[in-house]
Amino acid sequence: MILIGNAETIIRKAKRYADLGIDQLICYVQWGYLEHQEILRTIEILGKEVIPELASYRPRRAAP
């Protein structure tokens, strides 16, 4: 699955996957025709906003 959007959207979608039992996230930010500065900004947002929020999240798994 590909997660595209602002930090809030990525966090919301990643939490939904965590609730389903997904426990790994691969962040591939160099694709398409993105300029180097855009890639660096994406990495900065991941490090400052997305990763800290996901690191403290405790998934709510559905009952079997």
Side-chain angles (χ1 to χ4, degrees):
M1 179 50 67
I2 298 174
L3 303 178
I4 298 174
N6 60 24
E8 294 80 21
T9 300
I10 299 302
I11 291 166
R12 179 177 43 81
K13 290 179 178 182
K15 285 180 177 181
R16 188 173 350 150
Y17 283 111
D19 291 343
L20 294 172
I22 304 299
D23 62 358
Q24 294 183 15
L25 176 66
I26 298 172
C27 298
Y28 182 69
V29 298
Q30 280 184 290
W31 56 275
Y33 297 99
L34 291 176
E35 296 290 328
H36 182 70
Q37 287 304 113
E38 293 170 319
I39 293 168
L40 292 178
R41 179 71 180 130
T42 299
I43 293 169
E44 180 181 9
I45 291 168
L46 284 170
K48 288 183 176 179
E49 299 179 42
V50 176
I51 293 172
E53 180 70 26
L54 295 178
S56 65
Y57 183 68
R58 298 297 168 247
R60 296 172 290 165
R61 300 211 176 156

